[in-house]
Amino acid sequence: MAMSDESPTPAAAAVAPLTPVLTRRWASPRSWTIGTYEQLDGYTALKSVLGGPSPANPDQLIELMKNSGLRGRGGAGFPTGLKWSFLPQGDGKPHYLVVNADEGEPGTCKDIPLMMADPHSLIEGCIITSYAIRAPFCAIYVRGEAIHALRRLTVAVNEAKAKGYLGKNILGSGFDLEIVVHAGAGAYICGEETALLDSLEGRRGQPRLKPPFPAVAGLYACPTVVNNVETICSVPPIVLGGAEWYRSLGTEKSPGPKIYSLSGHVTRPGQYEAPMGTTLRQLIEMAGGMQGGIPLKFFTPGGSSTPIFTPEHLDVPLSFDDVAAAGSMLGTTALMCFNETVSVPWAVWKWLEFYKHESCGKCTPCREGTGWLVQILRRVVTGEGTMADLDTLADAASNIAGRSFCALGDAAATPILSSFKYFRSDFEDLVTGRTAPVVSTHDLVGAH
Amino acid sequence: MSTAHHRIGVPEFLRTGVVFDQLTQDRATELIGRYPVPRSALLPLLHLVQSVEGFVSQDGIAFCADQLALETAEVAAVATFYTMYKRKPCGEHLVSVCTNALCAVLGGDAILRTLTDHLGVAKDGTAGEPGETGSITIEAAECLAACDHAPVVTVDYEYYDEQNPDSALDLVQALQRGEKPHPTRGGALSDFRTAELEIAGIFGDTPEGAARVAAEVDGPSATEQTLRGSHLAEQNHWQAPVMPEHVDLPPVPEKK
Amino acid sequence: MTSTLPAATSPAPQDPPGLVVPEGHVKLTIDGVELTAPKGELLIRSAERIGTAIPRFCDHPLLEPVGACRQCLVEVEMGGRPMPKPQAACTQTVADGMVVRTQLTSPVAEKAQRSNLEFLLLNHPLDCPVCDKGGECPLQNQVMANGSGHSRMVDTKRTFTKPLAISTQILLDRERCVLCQRCTRFSDQIAGDRFIDLLERGSSQQIGIATDQPFQSYFSGNTIQICPVGALTSAAYRFRSRPFDLVSTPGVCEHCAGGCAIRVDWRRGEVTRRMAADDPQVNEEWNCDKGRFAFTYVGLDDRLTKPLVRNADGVLAEASWTEAMSAAAAGLATARDSAGVGVLTGGRLTVTDAYAYAKFARLALRTNDIDFRTRAGSAEEDTFLARHVVGNTPETGGVTYTDLEQAKTILLVGLEPEEEAGILFLRLRKSWRQHGSRIYSVGAVKTRGLTKLGGILVPAVPGAEPGVVAGLADSPVGEGLRAAHAVLLVGERAAEVPGLLTAAAQLAESTGARIAWVPRRAGDRGAVEAGALGSLLPGGRPVDGPAARAEVEKSWGASVPDRPGRNTGEILAAAAAGELAGLVVAGVSIEDLPDPTAAAKALAGVGFLVSLEIRRSAVTDLADVVFPVAASVEKDGAYRNWEGRDRPYDATITGKGTLADARVLDTLGVEMDVDLYTQTVKAATADLQRLGAFTGPRPTLAEVPDRPTRPAVEEPRGFLLATWRMNLDGGSLQDGEPYLAGTARAEVARISAVAAAALDLTDGSSVTVSTARGALTLPVEISPVADEVVWLPGRVAGASLASTIGAGHGDRVHLAAATTKGGS
């Protein structure tokens, strides 16, 4: 098994296997109420920023985020402080903060529990971030189906407002902020930040041309920061603990704790907050091993859009750079674990049905290509495919990857390209009849 | 493979002749007022009309267009993009079964098959008369962001975690009897239209609504799965490094 | 092809001598060719300039980039580092030092483009042989040139029901659609009519309309023209012909004063379709649906082909040209020598035809009683035209379409551009959207058209406009007008309100804003220039100016009457009173005249009536001699558009034996012993050009006497009527095109909510509008208008308001809830 080249930082060696920061209040009674939150240091970061005799300089907060090394938790891992610093200052336009809470990447299930269990940490993060980027309006774009998270957030906003943490002249600082909790309506593509912005503007959630980037022309064509829930929730602890403390967790290039979401054929699936760079082997161990002792066959490091890994990647430190070096992406640390009973072509077909269903339709390769791949895969999994089909799959997927308008097209090609890398023979066995069809034609069920 | 030709028809919205009442008008006005630009309220408004009608009708489209000074085509363009907007009247409850790869492999496909067989309708079909107690619309859903609880079913978007064909069948049969089993995570089950009102962003603007939301908000949200990491850390006294007593913010960097 | 461009694989060995990079430009390399490009230019345009066509479907130079079709992918290298993915040339802007490899030199780009074509064809029907676009289809052309010979698609194609009528005119075939969004972007960005949009998502995504609102845009036909496949077709043209069987001839649209360049496609002596032609200075690449589809009137059954002469039995009978000429000449000479003859030319003539009438009136009929207006005229307007309009051209500093894009403030007076000057409307919208112009409109109704211009209504109830305009000098509007490049656009309707033209002109003079006059018809402006006006001789020479008159007399070699002529209303009144013994009438519809009843009486009663027309009409029915004349498409000529720009064109349909008005008049002149020298367009143009423009002093506004233009209708306590004509209103040039007629706006009466409540009316209920002369019933549309105002379309159910209720703009009318449902 390959080991990572990036050795853990000295500080990391001393830290515990699990390091609850974002999840540390989750088990507290009625953790979602402002009372519990305040008892457990809630809003002290905000008070330290805005509550003193003279409020902090917003640029100090941007500098703090840069120093902390916090990287976006939505999947791409872009440095958060740098993103904030891109907003033009003194341009006379309002600035906006938009929180991407449109969790929907298959395998990803961290933001919704976070918002349900600890909504105030998101609110506090929003207030501090909005102050840092000088935004008078913040929208939390929550996946429409996440009704309980919407409820908790809405009530939390009202509680915060009643306490003077939101609204006019927050804590006497002169800073005004409104937060709107906004529900989406069922479209995976809205997790793409520019599609999210179009959706938040009341349009079809189709990605926008970049440039201009949201930092220059985002919501209502004004400078906008779009950050993931987990990213924003990381802000209050960073303000309280400082950059050095934050960097004592994780790897040098991927500092901080991370919520790893284990799902699938592990004994105890769930949310495990551990330092960045923890390996799947360590996580599976904490989760009680593989279910029934059946060995792992493949897993996604960060959702279905990240190239799959195999048991040989069990010891890859799950940090942005280590995973990239091993040929995948950290994504949302959604670790979907599939054991040896699972047919790879079947899983790939299922995922392609998903991408076809969620393709927004804007660009040709993704709109037409995902449909075509699904048609071919349906034949492959029902035993009606040919070897030529496999060549077509590989070629068509490579014609989508890097040619589509946004990353959804790349993501759709990913399961095919990565599974062909490790498991092409599984496909060949299906089309040559060496293995039986995994699905009968009439069982082609699903959302599709 | 089937070679039967299915021609895709014209997207259509039913005409119902509904007149949206003053309360709905007021709610629309309030929603619009939340945003710097009115059009941002379009998604909430479409949820709002679903809370009234249980789906989006042509009249609902026109209502939204009127409120926001849009063309009806622009509203239809949005309404047909998102899967949560239904174009046929929804049952009392909307049952969604995740059939994405992970849930499917753990039983999601089997659950969907069991439920559609039981209800005697295809996916996206409705068993029973929409609007009547116990009527159910069943759909296959994409990833519902509860993968640690797979396979997952939601009813009116409340989570019923770790289902299997038998438990899901029990659940649906209970719903058909007019019962409202409490979700694993979420508020007490109401119905699709009430859920849509909350999703629209209206939480308790009437005395009854306020009471309901106050009760719902305390509904369970964290299961064993959710808290596994937390509990394991607690048991082992694992924690993040202690924060320093006091940290100053870094100075403002020199302008380059 | 790679082998023909060896330089592409390595940097150019040396800088081409003389490749200087101008200010605001960058230097880049495309396929080994070094070039400079203005900053911000899209790669696809830069490549075009060196002759490299990068294939594209969604890209359109007049639409905002979208990058949706992905056909134009190229490889790009920046600062020596290749960008990781191929870039869309239609969205990637140039940068200094950029190295670009198109399909000509990059295997990656070539494969990306070829595979994209494969994706586009996966679900595309193989119906090219029956597709209207076949033979002129960008997709077909691309596939023929670069596509694969066979398809790897073995599964079932996606199919849609087809075709859908998204308006009575536009048909949508969704299977052929490549979802480039040109049509939706055109409707959104250019026309502002967001009636079509994307529906559904992913592989079900499609173009569509809302079920309650068809694609009723006046500009919908442009979407057919820019559709890169055969997804959008017109009911009028569908399955009519193959493009390669048609002959294309450049033309100029005859429908309004816009002067759009068009392309006329025809075969076997018949026009098959019309397209917008590309004229960046005028219509860019657009036209309105009337200009595109309304051409069938030429071939209707009531077309006149032979002269008609009223015989001894009083019956109009076909006659030879010789007979008709001598009958007309004799009759006109007699009438001239008794009480005199007046000439009404209508507004649809070419410049040379109008000139022929102007000259014929002065020399053959020895009168200045000639008017091109089929509407109320006034001395005020005559002065306005003489002072502010005639002679102004793009060359002499007149306002142009392009100028509107520089104007930060534009004031509209008596002008509803969307209805009355379609292509001007599009340019105004562009001016607002792209250049941030502020557009104000003085009027009684905040219209949809004004909203689409981002416009601000300066409220003025009918009749009060002059005071409102006068008051603008000291307002933010006046402030805007004082800034550089400001423009005041005055519609011909301003003449209906006494004092309004004067007020507008004074506002322009006091603020320094430039002013332009926008008439409705294609021939109006040319008629002013040609002297088809009682007060003006050709070139803007005042009849009452001895020096000006002398110039004309010298050029013509004949004397010109010195008494200024009567206007249309006065000519008709004189004819009715026996003060004129004869009339020559060109393309005039009686019901367009301010008082149709009186006009019909005058025409019926006048001693001798000669009519020159293309189709039978109420006028030809009353005439003593009728000459059939050529329709616009059958003759050479030129229109002068509102800018004063000459829009010459050649005949498209020849060999029909039809003659232009100028040719007929030339012969008639000979018959009356007068040489007009207007036998051909060339001769007439030379004759007119020899005269040149008038260089003497122009009249001043102070000389304008205030007087009403039309007797007021007595309805003292009624609503004030505001009205103008709609773009599509059943006018005679729209005859024979039912699909176009189906896209006309609904005819409604617009009143305020307060007025509706007072009358116990609701949106959609029927209201009866009446005067002492008549009544009509229409559905109500509650609108942002003043409470004392009712707005009506200029024509209802194919009849003018003048003919039904005898009322015009500014008159008082009575409103009441209709007692029975239904139309007028």
Side-chain angles (χ1 to χ4, degrees):
Chain A
M1 281 177 202
M3 294 293 290
S4 162
D5 292 337
E6 193 184 328
S7 49
T9 57
V15 301
L18 292 177
T19 51
V21 174
L22 305 168
T23 60
R24 79 181 178 103
R25 297 182 195 88
W26 285 18
S28 305
R30 303 187 79 231
S31 61
W32 52 91
T33 60
I34 198 163
T36 306
Y37 187 66
E38 286 189 313
Q39 267 173 23
L40 297 170
D41 300 334
Y43 290 110
T44 50
L46 178 68
K47 286 173 190 158
S48 79
V49 171
L50 290 183
S54 63
N57 184 323
D59 288 339
Q60 289 181 282
L61 291 163
I62 296 176
E63 190 66 9
L64 172 67
M65 284 310 132
K66 284 184 177 172
N67 294 347
S68 76
L70 172 64
R71 295 173 68 173
R73 273 23 181 171
F78 194 83
T80 303
L82 194 59
K83 191 183 243 190
W84 293 6
S85 72
F86 285 156
L87 263 65
Q89 296 302 333
D91 56 346
K93 289 182 181 171
H95 294 181
Y96 296 112
L97 171 65
V98 175
V99 178
N100 185 345
D102 190 39
E103 186 165 56
E105 168 75 17
T108 310
C109 47
K110 63 186 178 68
D111 294 337
I112 287 172
L114 180 48
M115 290 186 287
M116 290 196 295
D118 198 5
H120 282 285
S121 69
L122 179 60
I123 308 287
E124 186 178 7
C126 287
I127 304 167
I128 296 171
T129 306
S130 296
Y131 178 73
I133 64 165
R134 295 126 167 126
F137 178 82
C138 162
I140 305 175
Y141 185 105
V142 185
R143 180 172 177 174
E145 294 93 334
I147 188 167
H148 207 43
L150 285 163
R151 216 175 259 143
R152 289 268 168 89
L153 282 171
T154 303
V155 171
V157 164
N158 293 340
E159 287 177 331
K161 209 175 270 183
K163 283 265 188 170
Y165 299 138
L166 272 175
K168 296 271 174 217
N169 192 20
I170 296 167
L171 300 177
S173 63
F175 175 60
D176 304 336
L177 177 67
E178 290 297 330
I179 295 182
V180 162
V181 179
H182 179 98
Y188 165 71
I189 185 61
C190 292
E192 196 282 340
E193 62 176 4
T194 61
L196 185 150
L197 291 173
D198 257 33
S199 180
L200 181 54
E201 289 182 8
R203 299 169 193 281
R204 297 163 64 81
Q206 295 190 320
R208 298 176 179 178
L209 269 184
K210 289 190 280 194
F213 290 90
V216 175
L219 187 62
Y220 315 129
C222 293
T224 301
V225 164
V226 184
N227 274 149
N228 170 259
V229 172
E230 195 183 347
T231 313
I232 294 293
C233 289
S234 301
V235 170
I238 291 174
V239 169
L240 283 180
E244 201 181 325
W245 167 80
Y246 192 72
R247 282 183 169 282
S248 72
L249 287 166
T251 66
E252 193 196 335
K253 288 178 179 164
S254 302
K258 183 78 192 71
I259 304 176
Y260 292 95
S261 307
L262 259 71
S263 61
H265 293 122
V266 295
T267 307
R268 290 194 291 272
Q271 309 300 320
Y272 295 83
E273 188 178 9
M276 273 279 195
T278 304
T279 66
L280 183 62
R281 187 184 302 282
Q282 292 168 316
L283 290 165
I284 289 179
E285 208 166 287
M286 288 190 270
M290 290 298 290
Q291 215 179 78
I294 304 172
L296 178 73
K297 183 168 190 183
F298 63 101
F299 70 99
T300 65
S304 63
S305 302
T306 59
I308 59 169
F309 271 167
T310 66
E312 71 175 280
H313 302 100
L314 271 169
D315 295 308
V316 172
L318 296 170
S319 76
F320 289 108
D321 299 293
D322 290 304
V323 173
S328 185
M329 294 178 287
L330 185 66
T332 54
T333 56
L335 297 148
M336 289 190 279
C337 301
F338 296 87
N339 68 20
E340 284 187 348
T341 67
V342 181
S343 156
V344 174
W346 175 89
V348 170
W349 161 61
K350 278 295 210 179
W351 279 328
L352 260 296
E353 291 277 6
F354 165 76
Y355 289 109
K356 178 195 177 221
H357 186 254
E358 298 299 337
S359 170
C360 81
K362 178 169 182 161
C363 77
T364 307
C366 179
R367 178 186 68 241
E368 304 296 336
T370 53
W372 191 23
L373 295 176
V374 160
Q375 283 176 307
I376 299 171
L377 281 167
R378 284 181 186 172
R379 280 190 286 108
V380 169
V381 297
T382 53
E384 294 176 24
T386 64
M387 289 298 273
D389 280 335
L390 301 187
D391 293 337
T392 304
L393 277 178
D395 186 51
S398 71
N399 288 338
I400 300 171
R403 275 86 180 123
S404 54
F405 187 90
C406 81
L408 194 148
D410 300 340
T414 290
I416 290 177
L417 296 175
S418 67
S419 64
F420 270 42
K421 188 168 161 191
Y422 304 111
F423 300 104
R424 182 167 169 129
S425 61
D426 289 25
F427 288 84
E428 288 172 357
D429 289 350
L430 260 178
V431 301
T432 56
R434 268 196 294 274
T435 54
V438 278
V439 188
S440 71
T441 306
H442 96 276
D443 280 345
L444 289 170
V445 297
H448 339 295
Chain B
M1 299 282 324
S2 162
T3 51
H5 251 59
H6 168 66
R7 288 189 181 273
I8 301 174
V10 182
E12 271 177 356
F13 294 91
L14 302 174
R15 281 168 204 278
T16 57
V18 69
V19 176
F20 293 96
D21 62 8
Q22 193 56 46
L23 179 61
T24 308
Q25 292 276 353
D26 294 345
R27 284 170 167 167
T29 307
E30 197 269 319
L31 288 171
I32 292 165
R34 292 181 187 179
Y35 298 91
V37 173
R39 187 170 172 161
S40 279
L42 180 52
L43 268 61
L45 288 186
L46 285 163
H47 286 301
L48 179 67
V49 301
Q50 291 211 119
S51 79
V52 176
E53 292 204 86
F55 70 112
V56 179
S57 66
Q58 181 60 40
D59 311 74
I61 295 273
F63 174 79
C64 297
D66 262 9
Q67 297 296 317
L68 298 171
L70 296 172
E71 300 298 343
T72 45
E74 295 175 277
V75 178
V78 171
T80 56
F81 186 83
Y82 298 94
T83 47
M84 288 177 76
Y85 301 130
K86 308 300 179 193
R87 275 173 266 174
K88 282 181 288 187
C90 218
E92 182 192 15
H93 299 294
L94 173 68
V95 175
S96 313
V97 182
C98 177
T99 56
N100 203 296
L102 189 101
C103 275
V105 81
L106 295 172
D109 280 357
I111 292 171
L112 180 66
R113 226 175 354 252
T114 302
L115 296 186
T116 49
D117 285 354
H118 165 72
L119 294 170
V121 295
K123 69 184 165 78
D124 300 326
T126 299
E129 197 55 42
E132 284 181 13
T133 303
S135 56
I136 286 176
T137 299
I138 178 111
E139 68 176 9
E142 292 301 357
C143 182
L144 292 165
C147 315
D148 48 345
H149 297 85
V152 172
V153 171
T154 64
V155 180
D156 307 330
Y157 305 116
E158 311 284 2
Y159 284 121
Y160 292 79
D161 299 318
E162 281 194 292
Q163 294 294 306
N164 58 49
D166 291 342
S167 66
L169 186 58
D170 289 348
L171 169 63
V172 162
Q173 285 172 334
L175 294 173
Q176 285 183 299
R177 292 192 298 270
E179 295 165 21
K180 301 201 172 178
H182 203 287
T184 326
R185 291 177 294 157
L189 191 65
S190 45
D191 55 36
F192 175 71
R193 283 165 42 176
T194 308
E196 277 294 314
L197 184 65
E198 296 193 345
I199 295 167
I202 305 293
F203 288 89
D205 62 347
T206 60
E208 312 83 68
R212 194 185 62 241
V213 170
E216 281 174 351
V217 77
D218 282 339
S221 61
T223 61
E224 191 191 334
Q225 284 92 322
T226 314
L227 300 176
R228 265 175 183 146
S230 305
H231 288 152
L232 189 63
E234 205 182 328
Q235 285 156 19
N236 292 292
H237 307 290
W238 291 338
Q239 50 185 332
V242 177
M243 288 180 183
E245 268 309 300
H246 177 80
V247 214
D248 285 324
L249 289 175
V252 176
E254 303 264 320
K255 286 269 183 288
K256 281 166 215 156
Chain C
M1 291 201 75
T2 312
S3 61
T4 62
L5 288 161
T9 50
S10 57
Q14 72 249 343
D15 275 6
L19 186 66
V20 277
V21 183
E23 182 71 25
H25 283 57
V26 297
K27 190 163 76 173
L28 72 158
T29 307
I30 300 178
D31 293 333
V33 178
E34 257 195 355
L35 70 154
T36 64
K39 277 181 186 161
E41 186 173 62
L42 297 168
L43 276 185
I44 202 165
R45 308 268 172 275
S46 312
E48 275 166 15
R49 290 192 292 102
I50 59 164
T52 299
I54 301 170
R56 82 290 304 264
F57 297 111
C58 66
D59 171 72
H60 190 285
L62 296 179
L63 301 175
E64 290 161 20
V66 61
C69 80
R70 315 307 287 170
Q71 190 56 47
C72 64
L73 295 176
V74 295
E75 273 200 298
V76 176
E77 203 177 291
M78 273 300 301
R81 288 172 50 188
M83 292 173 89
K85 300 171 178 181
Q87 298 297 306
C90 73
T91 60
Q92 175 70 54
T93 51
V94 294
D96 205 40
M98 189 177 259
V99 176
V100 180
R101 294 189 184 87
T102 74
Q103 71 277 8
L104 300 182
T105 58
S106 156
V108 171
E110 194 277 334
K111 179 165 192 262
Q113 294 179 10
R114 191 157 36 81
S115 64
N116 202 64
L117 271 184
E118 179 180 41
F119 286 136
L120 284 174
L121 291 183
L122 289 175
N123 290 296
H124 194 87
L126 289 171
D127 64 350
C128 303
V130 296
C131 177
D132 281 353
K133 205 77 173 188
E136 58 178 9
C137 174
L139 179 61
Q140 189 182 41
N141 294 345
Q142 265 306 309
V143 174
M144 299 298 278
N146 305 315
S148 170
H150 81 285
S151 173
R152 292 191 285 178
M153 169 81 167
V154 298
D155 299 288
T156 310
K157 285 192 185 229
R158 178 179 63 224
T159 53
F160 289 91
T161 50
K162 61 193 280 176
L164 302 178
I166 54 174
S167 72
T168 55
Q169 181 67 281
I170 311 288
L171 304 169
L172 168 65
D173 186 323
R174 295 169 295 166
E175 288 174 0
R176 295 175 182 161
C177 177
V178 294
L179 294 159
C180 68
Q181 303 181 45
R182 280 187 182 181
C183 57
T184 49
R185 287 185 291 146
F186 170 86
S187 301
D188 175 13
Q189 297 165 20
I190 307 294
D193 294 324
R194 292 180 278 267
F195 303 135
I196 54 171
D197 210 327
L198 291 170
L199 299 177
E200 306 286 3
R201 187 172 81 192
S203 59
S204 302
Q205 186 176 256
Q206 55 192 278
I207 301 295
I209 52 170
T211 41
D212 63 344
Q213 172 62 63
F215 185 25
Q216 273 178 311
S217 167
Y218 289 148
F219 307 97
S220 65
N222 291 292
T223 62
I224 299 174
Q225 191 169 341
I226 60 176
C227 180
V229 292
L232 292 166
T233 54
S234 69
Y237 178 71
R238 190 169 168 88
F239 299 141
R240 285 279 304 281
S241 69
R242 315 292 323 185
F244 35 78
D245 290 336
L246 301 177
V247 181
S248 296
T249 307
V252 174
C253 183
E254 76 276 40
H255 285 292
C256 84
C260 291
I262 58 171
R263 190 185 102 191
V264 185
D265 285 2
W266 59 279
R267 64 174 176 187
R268 296 195 287 270
E270 268 187 34
V271 175
T272 316
R273 64 173 177 180
R274 305 205 320 190
M275 322 271 272
D278 183 6
D279 189 333
Q281 292 188 301
V282 178
N283 53 302
E284 303 197 289
E285 297 182 32
W286 319 124
N287 70 347
C288 75
D289 286 2
K290 186 157 65 176
R292 181 178 301 266
F293 296 116
F295 57 81
T296 48
Y297 67 91
V298 172
L300 297 180
D301 289 346
D302 58 4
R303 185 72 198 270
L304 294 166
T305 53
K306 295 211 170 73
L308 305 171
V309 175
R310 197 165 293 280
N311 63 21
D313 303 329
V315 176
L316 266 183
E318 284 189 359
S320 70
W321 279 96
T322 319
E323 275 176 277
M325 282 291 170
S326 60
L332 288 175
T334 307
R336 173 192 69 202
D337 297 339
S338 60
V341 180
V343 181
L344 302 177
T345 70
R348 295 183 186 134
L349 300 173
T350 61
V351 176
T352 44
D353 284 344
Y355 177 62
Y357 280 99
K359 195 168 181 182
F360 183 80
R362 271 68 182 224
L363 301 190
L365 303 175
R366 296 171 204 152
T367 181
N368 286 312
D369 285 343
I370 176 170
D371 197 345
F372 69 94
R373 292 170 292 210
T374 42
R375 53 184 174 81
S378 67
E380 180 190 5
E381 184 179 13
D382 291 353
T383 308
F384 177 85
L385 294 175
R387 178 168 179 80
H388 290 285
V389 177
V390 71
N392 291 354
T393 68
E395 292 77 32
T396 64
V399 177
T400 66
Y401 283 106
T402 317
D403 291 342
L404 298 176
E405 294 185 30
Q406 263 109 58
K408 287 284 158 239
T409 299
I410 299 168
L411 177 65
L412 310 176
V413 176
L415 179 63
E416 180 63 23
E418 188 187 20
E419 302 293 351
E420 300 175 298
I423 220 69
L424 172 63
F425 168 77
L426 293 192
R427 194 61 79 99
L428 287 169
R429 183 167 158 82
K430 181 182 183 188
S431 176
W432 166 60
R433 279 189 91 245
Q434 293 192 9
H435 306 283
S437 317
R438 297 209 96 167
I439 298 173
Y440 298 91
S441 176
V442 176
V445 192
K446 170 99 196 220
T447 60
R448 277 185 66 110
L450 184 60
T451 304
K452 285 186 270 191
L453 298 177
I456 300 158
L457 182 73
V458 179
V461 299
E465 295 97 334
V468 170
V469 169
L472 288 177
D474 299 317
S475 75
V477 182
E479 209 52 54
L481 290 173
R482 265 183 277 275
H485 309 304
V487 171
L488 221 154
L489 292 176
V490 183
E492 66 170 38
R493 285 191 284 112
E496 294 174 355
V497 181
L500 182 51
L501 286 169
T502 308
Q506 282 169 345
L507 181 63
E509 288 186 355
S510 71
T511 57
R514 289 196 294 158
I515 190 166
W517 179 67
V518 184
R520 269 194 68 244
R521 289 184 167 154
D524 284 335
R525 181 60 196 274
V528 176
E529 303 291 338
L533 196 59
S535 57
L536 287 180
L537 295 166
R541 291 173 176 78
V543 166
D544 56 7
R549 214 168 48 245
E551 284 177 19
V552 179
E553 288 176 334
K554 180 164 175 251
S555 175
W556 284 355
S559 71
V560 169
D562 59 358
R563 191 170 60 93
R566 289 174 265 216
N567 67 29
T568 299
E570 293 162 344
I571 288 169
L572 286 167
E579 290 160 19
L580 282 173
L583 289 173
V584 176
V585 179
V588 174
S589 300
I590 291 178
E591 63 147 28
D592 286 348
L593 293 161
D595 190 342
T597 317
K601 223 176 267 177
L603 290 169
V606 74
F608 192 73
L609 176 61
V610 176
S611 168
L612 290 83
E613 256 297 0
I614 63 168
R615 291 162 60 196
R616 286 193 84 106
S617 72
V619 176
T620 63
D621 286 349
L622 294 170
D624 296 290
V625 178
V626 178
F627 291 108
V629 288
S632 180
V633 70
E634 296 157 354
K635 63 187 178 188
D636 302 339
Y639 294 114
R640 197 67 60 87
N641 75 355
W642 67 267
E643 301 169 290
R645 190 188 298 272
D646 208 29
R647 306 295 285 159
Y649 68 93
D650 292 334
T652 292
I653 304 297
T654 55
K656 292 266 176 191
T658 50
L659 304 176
D661 298 56
R663 171 83 189 274
V664 173
L665 292 173
D666 183 80
T667 309
L668 189 56
V670 170
E671 203 77 19
M672 295 174 76
D673 297 326
V674 169
D675 280 325
L676 298 183
Y677 302 108
T678 61
Q679 195 174 22
T680 63
V681 169
K682 204 172 166 190
T685 305
D687 200 50
L688 181 55
Q689 276 175 353
R690 207 163 32 246
L691 264 167
F694 181 54
T695 51
R698 294 185 175 203
T700 53
L701 285 167
E703 294 163 19
V704 173
D706 272 350
R707 63 188 172 89
T709 53
R710 186 190 328 101
V713 177
E714 288 306 316
E715 195 66 48
R717 299 187 58 224
F719 282 70
L720 277 168
L721 174 63
T723 181
W724 54 76
R725 285 185 65 167
M726 308 292 274
N727 177 294
L728 297 175
D729 64 355
S732 60
L733 295 197
Q734 300 153 45
D735 286 347
E737 227 307 319
Y739 308 114
L740 175 67
T743 64
R745 301 258 160 87
E747 292 167 351
V748 294
R750 294 191 188 137
I751 54 175
S752 73
V754 170
L759 293 165
D760 207 17
L761 289 164
T762 54
D763 227 15
S765 64
S766 292
V767 62
T768 298
V769 183
S770 60
T771 66
R773 298 187 199 171
L776 53 84
T777 299
L778 280 172
V780 166
E781 189 176 295
I782 293 173
S783 306
V785 297
D787 294 341
E788 58 190 305
V789 173
V790 57
W791 178 90
L792 298 175
R795 287 162 64 93
V796 175
S800 69
L801 294 186
S803 63
T804 49
I805 57 172
H809 184 83
D811 288 337
R812 295 268 180 187
V813 295
H814 181 72
L815 261 62
T819 45
T820 52
K821 281 194 84 133
S824 53

